[in-house]
Amino acid sequence: MRVIVTAGPTYEPIDPVRFIGNRSSGKQGYAIAKSLSDNGFDVTLISGPTHLPDISGITMIRIETAKQMLKAVQNTLLSSQQDIAICAAAVADWAPTFSNQKIKKGSGEPQITFTENPDILKTIATAHNRPTLVIGFAAETENLIENAAAKLKRKSCDWILANDVSPANEHNVFGGDNNHIHLITNETQEDWQTMSKIAIADKLTNKIQNHFENQKK
Ligand code: C5P
């Protein structure tokens, strides 16, 4: 079965030397891509800038911006029908207008304006060649379950892996090795407790395998 995974942050350039980014390490998305590949899935990993090495045996596409990530996703969907999409990337919601020249000091504070980026998860979930199973993430700081359930509907996806990224959470999710996930679907909610990102990836792979097995019955 074929699967697209998005991972990492996006970088949105302000001028040729500056960008706006975020603290996503890409660890969770890479762990998911590796676990699926180890279990026989044909994986395309579309990654924003990370410090993580390429994973052998999978198709790696490295991009920088949200628009480039969307293009890579759409090209992959066009080149072969995908069964599953997992959007683990922390895509920037906004892109600044780009200055072709480096913005110079001395001419006042720069005024940066923003335009909204495409929602990659929603675009995949509503595409004519939609994968059978579309999975998103929801990093929330409050009302985790309610917000994640609303996101599931709004983005037309099938499952959401929700995690608490509030400062009060004792686990440093961004860049850390652990995560506390709640799996939200239209029918169920599961609390996976705190575990390593690798263990979460394996649990997700297992869930996906069971899901397709049950569909065959
Ligand atoms: O709306 P929010 O950013 O909280 O949604 C998170 C989910 O949506 C994640 O799965 C993320 O990868 C995806 N997303 C996306 N494109 C965006 C924003 C979020 O694919 N522009």
Side-chain angles (χ1 to χ4, degrees), residues 19-93:
F19 64 85
I20 294 177
N22 64 65
R23 295 185 192 282
S24 168
S25 65
K27 281 181 185 173
Q28 185 65 81
Y30 276 57
I32 290 168
K34 172 144 190 359
S35 173
L36 287 164
S37 174
D38 288 348
N39 283 279
F41 289 80
D42 183 350
V43 181
T44 302
L45 174 59
I46 301 170
S47 172
T50 70
H51 296 296
L52 303 172
D54 286 2
I55 303 169
S56 65
I58 72 171
T59 305
M60 289 279 318
I61 304 174
R62 292 199 187 253
I63 51 75
E64 289 214 339
T65 68
K67 290 190 186 74
Q68 290 166 355
M69 182 173 275
L70 177 63
K71 191 100 213 114
V73 163
Q74 287 175 325
N75 286 343
T76 306
L77 285 173
L78 278 178
S79 68
S80 47
Q81 178 64 42
Q82 302 289 313
D83 302 290
I84 305 153
I86 304 172
C87 292
V91 183
D93 292 319

Side-chain angles (χ1 to χ4, degrees), residues 16-206:
V17 299
R18 302 183 179 94
F19 64 85
I20 294 177
N22 64 65
R23 295 185 192 282
S24 168
S25 65
K27 281 181 185 173
Q28 185 65 81
Y30 276 57
I32 290 168
K34 172 144 190 359
S35 173
L36 287 164
S37 174
D38 288 348
N39 283 279
F41 289 80
D42 183 350
V43 181
T44 302
L45 174 59
I46 301 170
S47 172
T50 70
H51 296 296
L52 303 172
D54 286 2
I55 303 169
S56 65
I58 72 171
T59 305
M60 289 279 318
I61 304 174
R62 292 199 187 253
I63 51 75
E64 289 214 339
T65 68
K67 290 190 186 74
Q68 290 166 355
M69 182 173 275
L70 177 63
K71 191 100 213 114
V73 163
Q74 287 175 325
N75 286 343
T76 306
L77 285 173
L78 278 178
S79 68
S80 47
Q81 178 64 42
Q82 302 289 313
D83 302 290
I84 305 153
I86 304 172
C87 292
V91 183
D93 292 319
W94 305 93
T97 40
F98 180 69
S99 162
N100 286 319
Q101 305 299 328
K102 184 181 170 194
I103 301 168
K104 294 268 186 233
K105 267 194 286 194
S107 48
E109 287 157 0
Q111 301 298 314
I112 299 174
T113 54
F114 291 87
T115 51
E116 200 169 340
N117 268 331
D119 190 312
I120 297 166
L121 173 58
K122 191 169 177 179
T123 306
I124 297 173
T126 54
H128 66 94
N129 47 3
R130 183 195 200 277
T132 315
L133 184 62
V134 179
I135 304 172
F137 274 75
E140 303 288 348
T141 54
E142 54 184 353
N143 302 330
L144 183 73
I145 308 292
E146 295 79 4
N147 285 339
K151 201 161 281 180
L152 180 84
K153 292 223 160 49
R154 194 165 67 243
K155 301 207 181 201
S156 304
C157 56
D158 303 301
W159 300 355
I160 286 265
L161 304 190
N163 58 348
D164 180 0
V165 293
S166 64
N169 184 4
E170 73 269 33
H171 306 289
N172 182 12
V173 171
F174 287 106
D177 290 323
N178 293 327
N179 211 345
H180 183 167
I181 292 288
H182 288 76
L183 172 71
I184 317 282
T185 74
N186 276 315
E187 296 84 32
T188 55
Q189 290 175 17
E190 291 175 17
D191 182 346
W192 286 7
Q193 302 297 334
T194 300
M195 55 178 100
S196 73
K197 291 180 178 177
I198 292 171
I200 287 166
D202 288 338
K203 194 168 167 79
L204 180 62
T205 297
N206 203 262

